[in-house]
Amino acid sequence: MDLLTQVVGRACPATPAAVALIQFRRCRPLAVVFGVDAVETLIAGVQARLREALRAGDLVERFGDTALLVGLPGLYGASHAELALQRILRECAEPQPIQGRSITPLVNIGAVLAESQQPPDTLLRGVLAALDQALRAGLPSLLAREEEAGPL
């Protein structure tokens, strides 16, 4: 929740923020074939690439075993959030070298645009709802505005 608390602290009506959850898929088969370290290498590689590709004030942190949470404070609006998500998708689609092979991560991304300060748990529920909608719709990512995300 520390990442969410930081993002909430930087969000206000003049400077909206977005929070994205990147869920890595098919990690279990990767771990069976290449070992658990391969999954760790894959996620750490994407995390490092995102930290380089995004702005200095953006936050990219591990969230659970197979996910990354990305905080995008200080956005100019929904279009800026969509551009950031497109960049995130491009970076996630880059193959990662693992044990002499090139492995392309499979991810789904849910994101919510917060145009006002919200409690961290509300943001997290919105991000999880957006991720669930993206998964059900077969989309790689989905951006929901805070009023669209609603409670689960």
Side-chain angles (χ1 to χ4, degrees):
M1 288 289 196
D2 291 338
L3 171 68
L4 292 173
T5 303
Q6 290 178 40
V7 171
V8 167
R10 297 182 193 180
C12 66
T15 59
V19 177
L21 181 63
I22 303 168
Q23 180 66 53
F24 290 80
R25 296 179 24 227
R26 312 241 341 124
C27 290
R28 185 170 295 154
L30 182 65
V32 168
V33 174
F34 295 103
V36 175
D37 289 343
V39 175
E40 294 300 316
T41 300
L42 182 76
I43 295 172
V46 171
Q47 182 178 18
R49 219 172 23 252
L50 287 174
R51 284 183 173 157
E52 285 185 27
L54 297 174
R55 302 169 302 164
D58 295 338
L59 308 163
V60 182
E61 298 298 331
R62 194 69 182 261
F63 188 77
D65 292 338
T66 60
L68 293 173
L69 198 59
V70 179
L72 304 165
L75 298 175
Y76 297 110
S79 296
H80 191 190
E82 288 172 12
L83 287 172
L85 284 175
Q86 289 172 6
R87 173 170 262 178
I88 289 169
L89 275 171
R90 280 194 309 273
E91 294 300 324
C92 288
E94 287 294 315
Q96 184 77 13
I98 296 183
Q99 297 179 11
R101 297 210 175 141
S102 185
I103 305 293
T104 301
L106 297 174
V107 300
N108 286 99
I109 303 173
V112 66
L113 180 64
E115 296 178 299
S116 61
Q117 289 191 346
Q118 296 179 352
D121 59 333
T122 301
L123 275 178
L124 183 58
R125 280 196 308 271
V127 168
L128 291 171
L131 178 63
D132 186 55
Q133 288 175 337
L135 287 167
R136 280 191 267 142
L139 300 171
S141 68
L142 181 73
L143 173 65
R145 290 183 167 273
E146 61 185 321
E147 62 272 6
E148 294 170 353
L152 291 176

